[in-house]
Amino acid sequence: MATEKEKMAAAETKSPSNKSNCTSPGKKGDTDDHGLPKKKDNGCDTNLYLYHDEIEDRPRASTFLSSLADYSNTIPTASAADPDAPKPAPPARMGTLIGCYLPCIQNIFGVILFIRLTWVVGTAGAIQGFLIVLTCCCTTMLTAISMSAIATNGVVPAGGSYFMIGRSLGPECGGAVGMLFYTGTTLAAAMYIVGAVEIVLTYMAPWLSIFGDFTKDPEAMYNNFRVYGTGLLLVMGMVVFVGVKFVNKFATVALACVILSITAVYVGIFVNFNGNDKLQLCVLGKRLLKDIHISNCTKNVTGELHQLFCPNNTCDPYYISHNISIVQGIKGLASGVFFDNLQDSFLHEGQYIAYGKEPEDIEQMERPTYNQVYADLTTTFTILIGIFFPSVTGIMAGSNRSGDLADAQKSIPIGTICAILTTSFVYLSSVLLFAGTVDNLLLRDKFGQSIGGKLVVANMAWPNQWVILVGSFLSTLGAGLQSLTGAPRLLQAIAKDEIIPFLAPFAVSSSRGEPTRALLLTMCICQGGILLGNVDILAPLLSMFFLMCYGFVNLACALQTLLKTPNWRPRFKYYHWSLSLAGLTLCISIMFMTSWYYALIAMGMAGLIYKYIEYRGAEKEWGDGLRGLALSAARYSLLRLEEGPPHTKNWRPQVLVLTKLNNELKPKYRKMIAFASQLKAGKGLTVCVSVLGGDFTRRSGDAFMAKQNLRSCMNEEKVKGFVDVLVTHSVAEGLSHFVQTTGLGGLKPNTVLIGWPYGWRQSEDERTWQTFLQTVRSVTAAKMAMLVPKGINFFPDSTEKVSGNIDIWWIVHDGGMLMLLPFLLKQHRTWKNCKMRIFTVAQMEDNSIQMKKDLKMFLYHLRIEAEVEVVEMTDNDISAYTYERTLMMEQRNQMLRELRLNKKETLGMVQAIVDHHHGDVNKTTSKVRFAEPGAEPTVDENAPSPPLSDNEEKDKDDKDDFRSSLLHIIDSMWDSSDERSQCEDAPSLPTEEKPRDANPNGEAVMTKANITPDEGTVRRMHTAVKLNEVIVSRSHDAQLVILNLPGPPRDTKLERESNYMEFLEVLTEGLEKVLMVRGGGREVITIFS
């Protein structure tokens, strides 16, 4: 008689496909103790063979992790698709200081600090000036917190606020904010250019004026700014067009100038602690005078002032009634002038700059102004906020460089927030120091006319005013170049996204890759800003666009937090939706406080762009009344959802719960619905369905009652969703129909929650698992994800709170479902206190240390906190227990096939098998008498087998009862306490030593010795046994174990399907709460923002 080894070899010979696929060339007979080949290729890994059939679609976790080693955290460039294009140099990996902090410092400190801050302090006073600066700094700080949350919610490619908001709120908001940010950046370039010209013409070279003495005519000054600004714009535009590298190098010089200038101011303030006599003011009464040398500041009849105020021997009444005095401009911190500068000195246009607010001192009273200094615009608290706000913009500089940062998720929050804290400290301390050092009249002299056209800040600095003048000019020039460089690229990025069709021509690059067309448009818009000619008009205007942009950043963060989207997992944890709403409120408030008409212009522009993007080419339908409007909105939204599958980061499980009902038409496993509630946390779509067998015309009442019960159960579990019940003759077909048709348009479930068929072994129907397997196949064909909870009765209720571990066993990469599900569960209060542990399996050829490192990096970019462990599975030979377990499984399949015999023959076969299994020494033939339905089976040693009935209905009932009893017997054989130990200690006897049993009719009866299991079956059982041993050893006390569900067998043979169910039983043996997961063939989680 042939041995088991010989039979296995014969089976391999008969099945060359198995051998060719699962063995490598070698000598004949190169097998293990069970006749299986020792050598195998990587595709037929014994330890993971259960997952081998779908290895192409669902690679092993180690394979997936190794492919992540070279991933790029930037958007592919336009040349990425060109194979002949030269490979770009790898981006510089900069740290927090160089890559984020210093660029933010450079962009935040701007021209306003040098030419307007002293005037803001003098006009608003120390108290309100401090509040102005604090309000602006708080706005940017709150925005930076929101931006940090968005920027750390995945890898952010370069693109700044446009990319972040566009990917958070959609293309409409992204396009609107992108255009606002572009316009603001362009107008900022205009403001920097006008500011640079003002520094040169007013403080460095006033003799360059081509429109006469601008100190006497403001319009002449603004005309100079327009002409020189246009020329400077052309020069800077040429620089940007020709040499972007020069712009980047010049940025370092500009940054050095900014730091040096601020340092010089601080040193100068403390050097002049007791004041100095360099700057002296000529004051008439309480009014400030200009264009007069201090030596001529007298009332002598022959003096310059007397001739000015007394033309034709008719003197000005105010000149006659008040004396002339000389006042020290820089009084120093020791003078106590700080208390004189506490109160505000807001003026209307044309009012004189004077001490106090007495009408006699500040009003013109329709008299000539002579050389008295007066206000050139009306000032209020809100207007000054609008003028100062551009000084705190520039916080996006770090996020714009995210592609160059070594660790953007760490550098952006730290660098940006530290930069804001630094600049806020400088601004706030400058307010107090300026107020405590400089006389009030000199602070309010915007252009330094009373001191001969000198810059006030420059004259406080040490060692010389030229440090500030040259430094402020170069830094302003550098900021202008940066704006002219960044704005065209932002416009080109928006145009390339094709969300605004009329911008399509600006998506074109020159032969050198420069956005030439976008640069020309930017220069045209910038020229429009320069023609305004006044920094005080430009500053509030561009403030509107930046405030709108920052408002959208806060709105994006607040909405993401409140909606709790699955992809919202920022690594930056110090944010809250209330802070984002506070930032949004501040932005809108400042906009309307500063200039309501400018605010309406900016909002109108954003609204038009939004609507244009949203409705371009879209069909409109206006219903009557609110119901028609709601119907139109719902239809429009459904059509929008139908346009394509959701983006990976917008994917969330929309659950279809397949519920089994009991005899009372109530859900048999209520915790299935509770688990769906915990998974959804009240968000998204949940559809709970069930199938009743029978004819709908007869069971329509049952269907209605079942629907009511399902609805009641969903309400009790606080699950928002829909219910449905289908009556059909085939339950499997009904479930397949639900999988295919549930949902409307794009509002369809993408995840199916189905219970485990616990009684599949003991069921009266030999193909009871067909319903489960057919549903699995239907879900796979529909490309939906599937969740199979096992041990559902042990799952916690929604009212409970559990603590412990959620263990994820990541065997194959299945779209990231295994990573996303525990994160979603932890959002619910039931699982909130649990910790995640992720286990992955390493084979002999894998580098487990590198795998662990790669997995930690992968989780870091996914913003998921979990412990990581790589389990090394040695390439052991197939154990005796595995082989014996496979033999028993094949034996059971043989029994099921024999059930097709008539009842009498089968009874004899079963009795012989039972006798053989228990090894009756006396060979006493005992019979099993199967009781009638409802009675317990009894054993009578001498009773004959019950006769078969001639009646078909009764025969069917007897067969069903007989099969049920038979299956119970088989399972009791499997579950015997000494079975495993017997298999481990004595694997099997040689065939020659095992008797060939016979039934009472003399026919041969199948035993383990007669069975030759398929090699693939043994390998799959080996996978299930080995993985189960590893999982139980590490996760026996876990609150939940989540693992990959192997794919169902491709063929529908009874034996293969039964084996598959047994593999799953072995895989999850000894685990109380298991969730088997199978992805839908698409990625559901991403490292990108």
Side-chain angles (χ1 to χ4, degrees), residues 108-125 128-130 132-133 190-203 214 218 221-222 225 265 346 353 374-381 383-392 427 430-431 434-435 438 440-449 453-458 460 468-469 472 476 532-540 542-543:
I108 294 173
F109 285 134
V111 65
I112 300 294
L113 169 65
F114 300 107
I115 66 175
R116 289 291 183 273
L117 184 56
T118 52
W119 173 70
V120 169
V121 174
T123 304
Q128 293 193 48
F130 191 88
I132 288 172
V133 175
M191 185 190 74
Y192 291 133
I193 291 173
V194 172
V197 172
E198 179 179 321
I199 290 172
V200 173
L201 285 181
T202 308
Y203 309 116
F214 58 83
M221 177 172 61
Y222 298 141
F225 293 169
V265 171
F346 297 123
I353 295 176
Y374 56 88
D376 62 339
L377 81 161
T378 301
T379 53
T380 61
F381 179 84
I383 288 176
L384 292 183
I385 287 181
I387 292 174
F388 178 77
F389 190 80
S391 289
V392 295
Y427 284 138
S430 296
V431 169
F434 290 168
V438 186
N440 180 260
L441 294 180
L442 183 56
L443 282 175
R444 294 158 62 194
D445 186 4
K446 185 189 297 184
F447 300 108
Q449 294 169 319
K454 296 178 180 179
L455 185 61
V456 177
V457 176
M460 279 190 287
I468 300 296
L469 293 176
S472 61
T476 304
L532 293 175
N534 191 346
V535 171
D536 299 328
I537 297 175
L538 277 169
L542 69 93
S543 291

Side-chain angles (χ1 to χ4, degrees), residues 691-798:
V691 177
L692 296 178
D695 184 31
F696 179 66
T697 57
R698 297 182 179 180
R699 302 202 65 182
S700 58
D702 291 344
F704 179 77
M705 183 180 297
K707 241 185 217 186
Q708 296 297 322
N709 292 337
L710 281 176
R711 168 62 63 190
S712 174
C713 186
M714 288 184 70
N715 291 337
E716 291 172 7
E717 296 295 339
K718 298 181 180 179
V719 179
K720 296 180 181 178
F722 308 96
V723 298
D724 202 1
V725 175
L726 180 66
V727 180
T728 180
H729 292 287
S730 170
V731 174
E733 287 297 322
L735 294 175
S736 178
H737 291 161
F738 271 132
V739 169
Q740 295 177 58
T741 61
T742 302
L744 179 63
L747 198 65
K748 294 177 70 68
N750 55 26
T751 305
V752 176
L753 182 62
I754 181 173
W756 174 258
Y758 297 100
W760 69 273
R761 284 175 177 166
Q762 295 83 15
S763 175
E764 298 176 1
D765 184 2
E766 64 186 16
R767 294 172 67 87
T768 182
W769 57 83
Q770 280 294 304
T771 300
F772 175 76
L773 284 176
Q774 187 171 336
T775 305
V776 172
R777 292 190 176 104
S778 299
V779 173
T780 303
K783 297 189 181 304
M784 300 167 72
M786 183 168 57
L787 311 179
V788 184
K790 193 166 181 282
I792 188 66
N793 288 330
F794 297 105
F795 279 52
D797 286 322
S798 296

